[in-house]
Amino acid sequence: MIANLPFIAVALLIGISLAIILLKKNMIKMVMGLSILEGAVNLFLVALGYRENGIAPIFTSAPEGAEMVLPTVQALTLTNIVIGVATTALMLALVMVIYKKYGTVNSNKIRRLKE
Amino acid sequence: MKETGSIFHPRFMIVLVVLATLILLVPAVGLNFGDPITSSTDQYYIDHSQVETGANNVVASIVFDYRGFDTLGEATVLFIAVLGVAMVFRRLYK
Amino acid sequence: MTLGLIGRNAGRLLVPLIFIFGFYIVVHGHITPGGGFQGGAVIATGVALLLVSYYYRDCLERFIPITNFKLVESAGLMLYICTALAGIVVGSGLLFNWLNASGGLFGHPVAYGVNPGDLFTAGTIPILNFAIGIEVFGALSVVTLIMFAGLQEKTQQEEDAEAAESAAPLVSKRKKGKGGRK
């Protein structure tokens, strides 16, 4: 069980981020929770493709005969990081708009429609 | 009871989160770290990417050659997200 | 909203090195760790350093307006799409790697297995890397610049005038007539 520490860390991180997203009122903290969720998914993908004593999948002056870790999950992680940055920027911009319009980032106070 | 951002009761939400974490812990214990089982596609990429694309970096050959269409969509998503940020801020600070 | 003499000079010295390092990461994306996304992010870090070490409205807005970065971003995406469509025209399908092992640009034959690496291999992959590098650099720079422009920071003259205003009761009347410090 202790050998599966990365996967257990992924499960705990997803639990923490879900708790933050569902229980917090501050919208900045909700965005932080989504970022933690994204990091947990990245960690899961990279841990899924790890091989024992594997090297990075690059042939340039690599040691002879060594096994390589799986490359597809690393490509997916690369995609995920860039999309995560873009969506985080968009969410923070929308939070700034909400703060400008309502004067608060509390999701309870902006739930009822004003005017 | 403390108010939360959700319409549900907070105690219900806490139970839900704990249940979700426990459900996620079941496959986390079942998977074996360091020895992936389904690796035939990745093994094909490792074995053949240098012959088929000429790149030493297997990840680059996957991102830009085998799954280049995926990267095109990703670049479009990035472009549209930046467009949205620019639009939102132009309305804020004119 | 600036870093003072030491910060500004350190930024001026470091920014070209950051740009060169990011460019190195972009063009060596197919033989070493790295690629378009990482190199573009590194170059955008240089732009962020320029932003915090200089006044935005004084220096940067006049020379590199935000519209230029939007143009750069669009150019990256267009280069990617054009390279993808060239695969249809020349080869057999979208994103076909028609430059690989053709003997021309980026077409050197590659040795199979572990090798020291040759920059002019891998066909269209370096071109696509370059396009993605340009696009990510433009996108992250636009986000940083727009969020920074939302701060409504003061220019150097306004800040000096404010400092002179607050220091006015302390200085003598004759000095105040000349106006502020400097």
Side-chain angles (χ1 to χ4, degrees):
Chain A
M1 172 163 172
I2 198 68
N4 279 343
L5 200 57
F7 294 119
I8 294 165
V10 167
L12 294 181
L13 275 175
I14 289 179
I16 288 169
S17 62
L18 280 181
I20 289 174
I21 293 168
L22 293 174
L23 295 173
K24 286 288 176 188
K25 291 184 287 184
N26 194 331
M27 300 188 80
I28 302 271
K29 286 178 184 171
M30 287 183 181
V31 176
M32 283 178 176
L34 279 169
S35 291
I36 293 175
L37 187 60
E38 177 202 326
V41 171
N42 287 343
L43 178 60
F44 172 67
L45 283 174
V46 171
L48 197 62
Y50 180 70
R51 266 181 186 156
E52 201 78 41
N53 299 320
I55 60 168
I58 292 164
F59 285 101
T60 307
S61 50
E64 281 287 348
E67 232 181 351
M68 288 177 175
V69 300
L70 307 189
T72 310
V73 282
Q74 299 199 5
L76 294 180
T77 309
L78 192 57
T79 306
N80 193 12
I81 288 171
V82 177
I83 300 290
V85 168
T87 51
T88 305
L90 191 56
M91 280 189 292
L92 286 175
L94 290 177
V95 170
M96 283 178 81
V97 171
I98 286 170
Y99 183 77
K100 191 92 170 177
K101 191 159 172 56
Y102 293 95
T104 178
V105 288
N106 192 325
S107 63
N108 267 2
K109 299 210 173 114
I110 63 169
R111 195 166 67 216
R112 38 191 85 88
L113 295 167
K114 283 184 181 171
E115 278 111 31
Chain B
M1 199 72 198
K2 209 168 127 244
E3 265 191 304
T4 65
S6 168
I7 54 171
F8 296 109
H9 202 271
R11 210 175 291 154
F12 174 70
M13 294 315 248
I14 290 171
V15 170
L16 208 65
V17 165
V18 171
L19 266 181
T21 311
L22 285 180
I23 289 171
L24 282 172
L25 273 174
V26 173
V29 176
L31 285 169
N32 40 355
F33 179 67
D35 182 27
I37 308 160
T38 56
S39 62
S40 52
T41 314
D42 302 78
Q43 198 56 51
Y44 177 84
Y45 286 150
I46 290 172
D47 292 337
H48 295 82
S49 76
Q50 226 179 3
V51 177
E52 289 178 356
T53 70
N56 272 350
N57 191 342
V58 182
V59 177
S61 73
I62 289 174
V63 168
F64 292 109
D65 196 299
Y66 290 111
R67 295 174 185 227
F69 200 62
D70 184 19
T71 309
L72 177 60
E74 178 192 357
T76 314
V77 167
L78 186 61
F79 185 79
I80 291 173
V82 171
L83 217 64
V85 171
M87 191 192 74
V88 161
F89 271 81
R90 180 171 299 152
R91 292 193 54 168
L92 266 189
Y93 307 101
K94 205 171 280 180
Chain C
M1 210 59 196
T2 187
L3 284 184
L5 186 67
I6 296 172
R8 261 178 290 166
N9 279 316
R12 197 166 63 197
L13 287 175
L14 278 176
V15 162
L17 296 179
I18 290 175
F19 282 0
I20 291 170
F21 181 60
F23 187 72
Y24 166 81
I25 290 180
V26 170
V27 298
H28 284 80
H30 57 292
I31 46 176
T32 54
F37 296 107
Q38 296 92 329
V42 168
I43 297 176
T45 317
V47 175
L49 182 57
L50 269 181
L51 268 183
V52 296
S53 52
Y54 286 95
Y55 282 80
Y56 174 68
R57 278 165 63 191
D58 267 355
C59 308
L60 288 181
E61 199 173 26
R62 198 158 9 116
F63 297 123
I64 37 173
I66 292 176
T67 322
N68 282 11
F69 284 104
K70 281 182 193 164
L71 215 63
V72 164
E73 190 196 356
S74 312
L77 194 55
M78 282 311 293
L79 181 57
Y80 194 100
I81 293 173
C82 289
T83 316
L85 290 179
I88 292 182
V89 176
V90 181
S92 64
L94 192 73
L95 283 159
F96 180 70
N97 200 344
W98 51 280
L99 275 174
N100 181 30
S102 65
L105 179 70
F106 297 123
H108 290 188
V110 66
Y112 186 64
V114 175
N115 57 350
D118 183 3
L119 188 59
F120 298 104
T121 55
T124 56
I125 290 179
I127 300 171
L128 296 177
N129 249 329
F130 199 69
I132 286 290
I134 290 173
E135 209 233 330
V136 171
F137 156 63
L140 295 186
S141 301
V142 165
V143 169
T144 318
L145 282 169
I146 284 176
M147 287 205 169
F148 203 80
L151 281 180
Q152 306 279 348
E153 60 160 355
K154 298 179 178 68
T155 59
Q156 178 84 52
Q157 286 143 6
E158 286 171 6
E159 213 161 73
D160 281 350
E162 219 167 68
E165 197 102 334
S166 62
L170 300 176
V171 297
S172 67
K173 240 173 201 173
R174 207 186 89 250
K175 234 176 169 183
K176 198 186 165 195
K178 280 182 193 170
R181 63 179 207 231
K182 275 199 285 192

